[in-house]
């Protein structure tokens, strides 16, 4: 093959892709090397290049050239829906017909499969989760692997245990690679891989041999100006955004660490007159698409987002990225700030760290791969089952929540210990070893990454150089642009009005708490004859909490009070006063008992409290304080029974938690008599609601003992 002719052809395709006149666009040297390896030599390549370098140009140009040479369609494994939508649009600009199979378009799957089969699609984008779908794996993947002209693994750091965003579904790629016909080129790309991740990805993709081409470039982003702004508290950070958001260049992204904070910040900014939208894992797909389109069209100043808006979202003129809270990893941070400044000369990147960051890191770290005894229990259950077990059927038999259980099974599937089949999961019977050393190493790495983020905040050296060194960039050098190289460019002051408004927003107490209405499936399997919808006369009513542990308002005040191991004591006066305000606002809400006329609720006639092993003084003093302020009798509450054992952690699944709670409480005779003497609603006080089952069991007992409506009132909604 004449390489000069191939180069000319490649540059012509690039011109169409970027919308430039023919003859005016030219691939960078590393881009050309990758295209030449894929098309001219049908090799495998791993490309580690900075965000905005043009990795997608490599695989779209290679696709066009391979299709002209009668190769099959390109299959791109792509991790996020936002990334897929961007890639489909980019392909169309180059005359490349791209389709996607993902969770948002199941109604189109059959049509798309037929188009691919007829050769009408040049590119098929597939989410990694599809690789673990039984139907896709058995009915689509073999045909697809046989017909694939180029396999692309985008955001390939997700494959690595040592990367910041490990996804077990990605490891299914080993199966697909093994089934590819000889000579089918493979391209893996990422912008966020240090030396260890690069080696691990190369090994897992089978690109680590002598024939592999690894292209790794410098990771400097010359358009980015990095800074860190440490402010006294959450109110000052929110006020700073309220004052300064309009002065930031263009439109951008404000990242938060939790869904609660994203929604909280978006609400405050909207009330401050900004056009913003929240974008989280809880956002409906249609709303996500609309939010992306609004940001791309500059109809909003910012999206307030969690990491759900991350890899691959492509807006070349994105002018700023602000982090309200530090990500737990410099690599993850670099990934997110890389959204900015792709197509503009200057973009501002600012980190506003918070005191709550480390508590949030600790929570997410606690929901990683389960301990060995839980894994062994799951393997034993599957090994003795008659036939496959679905997730809903398996969940009641093991002490893991659905999402964590599914992640664990995917890892075990890749390791060969279990297999996903039609109808659920089965054990394979193959020997399996719990790699405690590896998991401990990963945990140590996570701690090291967290310390690196603290060091990034504190450094007096160049911030871009710091991040590049974290990614093992051998060419890292001072950038001359960041706040430590060139001095701060931002004003750290906040106006009195903005601070008062932000403080009011964060100090506004009250979160509505929806009660449990349905018993979980599978309770019969643990000896509980409860199923379906709860009886209406045994349910709790909708309740209230002072705040969420995951927010930056009352969450910051409540986390130390409710932290594991925190000293028990009387409820602080400011906390009691805030709960009293929640109660007063609740009474004045539509349908509340402060209203008159039809539909108004009855006023509570008494206060009761759930028993607490860890914080009895806190819960009791809160209940007594509310009774005193509301001039209501405090009747005590349910008591722990002799059968009460240790309660499972809040992260246990619903079935296991209910099994532990079912016989743990009783209503003493004096409380039953007091309830009978005072018919009407009662306030049920507790410290934290997480799964909701403790309050559901307590409310059921109280209502069966003669209470009217049971109105839960707690300090905090858990993470």
């Amino acid at each position: 093959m004449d390489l000069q002719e191939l180069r000319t052809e490649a540059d012509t395709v690039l011109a169409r892709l970027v919308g430039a006149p023919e003859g005016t666009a030219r691939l960078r040297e590393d881009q050309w090397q990758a295209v030449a390896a894929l098309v001219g030599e049908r090799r495998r390549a791993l490309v580690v290049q900075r965000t905005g370098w043009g990795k997608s140009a490599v695989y779209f140009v290679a696709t066009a050239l391979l299709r002209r040479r009668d190769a099959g369609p390109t299959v791109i494994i792509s991790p996020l829906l936002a990334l897929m939508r961007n890639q489909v649009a980019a392909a169309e600009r180059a005359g490349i017909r791209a389709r996607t199979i993902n969770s948002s378009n199941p109604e189109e799957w059959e049509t798309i499969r037929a188009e691919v089969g007829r050769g009408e699609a040049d590119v098929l984008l597939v989410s990694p989760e599809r690789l673990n779908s039984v139907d896709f794996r058995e009915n689509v993947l073999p045909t697809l692997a046989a017909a694939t002209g180029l396999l692309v693994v985008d955001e390939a750091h997700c494959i690595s245990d040592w990367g910041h965003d490990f996804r077990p579904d990605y490891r299914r790629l080993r199966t697909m690679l093994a089934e590819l016909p000889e000579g089918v080129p493979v391209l893996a790309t990422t912008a966020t891989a240090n030396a260890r991740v690069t080696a691990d990805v190369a090994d897992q993709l089978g690109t680590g041999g002598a024939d592999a081409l690894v292209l790794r470039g410098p990771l400097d982003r010359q358009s980015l100006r990095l800074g860190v702004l440490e402010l006294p508290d959450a109110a000052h950070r929110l006020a700073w955004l309220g004052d300064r958001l309009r002065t930031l260049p263009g439109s951008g992204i404000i990242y938060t660490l939790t869904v609660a904070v994203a929604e909280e910040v978006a609400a405050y900014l909207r009330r401050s007159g900004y056009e913003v939208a929240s974008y989280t894992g809880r956002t409906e797909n249609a709303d996500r698409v609309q939010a992306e389109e609004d940001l791309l069209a500059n109809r909003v100043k910012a999206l307030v987002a969690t990491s759900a808006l991350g890899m691959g979202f492509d807006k070349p003129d994105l002018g700023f990225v602000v982090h309200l809270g530090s990500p737990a990893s410099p690599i993850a941070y670099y990934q997110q700030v890389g959204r900015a400044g792709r197509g503009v000369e200057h973009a501002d990147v600012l980190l506003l760290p918070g005191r709550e960051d480390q508590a949030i890191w600790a929570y997410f770290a606690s929901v990683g791969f389960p301990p060995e005894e839980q894994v062994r229990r799951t393997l034993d259950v599957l090994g003795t089952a008659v036939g496959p077990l679905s997730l809903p059927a398996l969940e009641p038999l093991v002490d893991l929540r659905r999402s964590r259980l599914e992640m664990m099974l995917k890892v075990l599937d890749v390791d060969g210990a279990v297999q996903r089949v039609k109808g659920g999961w089965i054990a394979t019977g193959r020997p399996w070893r719990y790699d405690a050393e590896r998991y401990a190493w990963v945990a140590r790495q996570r701690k090291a990454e967290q310390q690196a983020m603290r060091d990034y905040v504190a450094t007096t050296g160049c911030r871009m150089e710091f991040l590049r060194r974290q990614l093992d960039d051998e060419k890292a050098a001072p950038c001359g642009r960041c706040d430590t190289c060139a001095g701060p460019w931002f004003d750290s002051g906040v106006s009195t009005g903005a601070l008062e408004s932000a403080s009011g927003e964060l100090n506004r107490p009250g979160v509505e708490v929806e009660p449990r209405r349905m018993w979980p499936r599978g309770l019969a399997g643990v000896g509980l004859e409860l199923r379906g919808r709860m009886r209406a006369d045994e349910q709790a009513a909708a309740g209230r909490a002072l705040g969420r542990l995951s927010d930056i308002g009352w969450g910051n005040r409540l986390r130390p009070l409710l932290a594991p191991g925190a000293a028990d004591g009387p409820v602080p006066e400011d906390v009691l006063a805030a709960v009293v305000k929640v109660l007063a606002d609740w009474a004045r809400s539509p349908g509340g008992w402060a209203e008159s006329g039809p539909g108004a609720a009855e006023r509570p006639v008494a206060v009761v409290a759930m028993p607490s092993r860890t914080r009895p003084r806190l819960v009791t003093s809160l209940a007594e304080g509310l009774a005193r302020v509301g001039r209501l009798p405090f009747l005590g509450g349910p008591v722990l029974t002799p059968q009460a054992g240790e309660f499972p952690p809040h992260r246990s699944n619903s079935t296991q938690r209910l099994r532990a709670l079912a016989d743990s409480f009783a209503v003493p005779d004096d409380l039953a008599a007091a309830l009978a003497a005072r018919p009407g609603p009662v306030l049920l006080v507790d410290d934290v609601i997480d799964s909701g089952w403790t309050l559901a069991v307590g409310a059921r007992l109280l209502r069966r003992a003669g209470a009217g409506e049971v109105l839960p009132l707690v300090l905090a909604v858990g993470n």
Side-chain angles (χ1 to χ4, degrees), residues 646-661:
E646 287 297 319
F647 296 150
H650 290 300
R651 290 186 295 276
S652 297
N653 65 50
S654 292
T655 304
Q656 296 297 324
R657 188 151 186 83
L658 265 174
R659 181 175 69 171
L661 294 171

Side-chain angles (χ1 to χ4, degrees), residues 421-440:
V421 298
K422 288 184 177 178
W425 296 85
I426 60 172
T428 63
R430 296 175 188 167
W432 180 81
R433 183 177 69 87
Y434 188 88
D435 196 344
E437 182 178 348
R438 183 178 64 156
Y439 300 137

Side-chain angles (χ1 to χ4, degrees), residues 65 107 126 173 181 194 207 312 335 342 490 492 506 525 543 599 647 665:
L65 300 182
E107 70 284 352
V126 180
L173 287 165
N194 57 22
T207 60
Q335 171 77 49
R342 293 183 171 197
F490 42 80
S492 61
L506 295 176
F647 296 150
F665 305 112

Side-chain angles (χ1 to χ4, degrees), residues 246-259:
R246 63 178 51 86
T247 69
L248 295 177
S251 55
I253 301 171
I254 300 167
Y255 277 110
T256 69
L257 300 185
T258 69
V259 172

Side-chain angles (χ1 to χ4, degrees), residues 225-230 323 326-327 329-330 333-334 337 349-353 449-468 470 482-484 489:
R225 180 169 59 166
L226 304 178
V228 174
L229 178 56
E230 295 187 81
H323 277 77
S326 297
S329 158
Y333 183 63
Y334 182 86
V337 302
V349 170
L350 196 59
L351 171 62
L352 281 64
E449 290 172 348
Q450 292 171 9
Q451 183 57 50
M453 279 309 299
R454 298 186 196 99
D455 295 342
Y456 174 79
V457 170
T459 187
T460 57
C462 173
R463 298 198 192 276
M464 180 60 78
E465 181 182 17
F466 183 98
L467 292 178
R468 291 174 67 184
Q470 288 294 313
C482 68
D483 62 343
T484 54
W489 72 89

Side-chain angles (χ1 to χ4, degrees), residues 501-522:
S501 175
S503 297
E505 178 72 28
L506 295 176
N507 292 330
R508 182 180 292 113
V511 174
E512 188 163 344
V513 175
E514 281 297 315
R516 289 287 189 172
R517 304 291 191 201
M518 302 288 294
W519 297 112
R521 294 174 60 183

Side-chain angles (χ1 to χ4, degrees), residues 1-14 22 26-27 32 35-36 39-40 61 64-65 68-69:
M1 181 179 295
D2 187 307
L3 287 182
Q4 187 55 51
E5 290 181 6
L6 185 65
R7 178 67 188 260
T8 301
E9 191 179 356
D11 289 340
T12 301
V13 174
L14 177 67
E22 188 171 335
R26 188 170 175 82
L27 289 165
W32 162 240
V35 169
V39 179
V61 169
L65 300 182
R68 291 176 184 178
R69 288 156 178 79

